[in-house]
Amino acid sequence: AEQWTWLEAALGDRGGPVGVFLHKPLYEHDPTLPPDPRNTASPVALDRLERLFRDGGVRFVASGHRHQRRILRIGGIDHVWCP
């Protein structure tokens, strides 16, 4: 609960473009496919994160869990995998 409160406040108090760094990516490839919680964000958190990022003006989400390089553009947000 404390992390959600912090994230909502941080995204609501932005002064410009926002980037978010996560351990796991939100999506494997296609956001319409069911998420795999071993490799992506938890299905329980995904809807809430998508809404917060969209409403909070997030421009990119970077993650490193997969140890691969990939850039996906989904819903106007760049999802960048960094090894």
Side-chain angles (χ1 to χ4, degrees):
E2 188 176 331
Q3 288 178 337
W4 284 114
T5 300
W6 175 85
L7 181 59
E8 289 169 351
L11 291 175
D13 189 31
R14 67 188 193 286
V18 176
V20 175
F21 293 84
L22 302 175
H23 177 72
K24 291 182 179 180
L26 294 184
Y27 314 104
E28 185 89 35
H29 303 283
D30 182 344
T32 63
L33 298 176
D36 176 356
R38 294 172 298 162
N39 294 316
T40 61
S42 151
V44 174
L46 187 57
D47 287 340
R48 190 171 183 181
L49 288 170
E50 288 175 326
R51 180 179 41 79
L52 282 172
F53 292 172
R54 182 182 59 250
D55 295 348
V58 171
R59 303 276 295 272
F60 73 87
V61 176
S63 61
H65 176 73
R66 296 300 307 271
H67 299 268
Q68 298 173 351
R69 182 187 181 287
R70 177 172 294 157
I71 299 175
L72 305 168
R73 185 154 182 86
I74 300 169
I77 298 174
D78 291 323
H79 295 263
V80 182
W81 295 12
C82 307

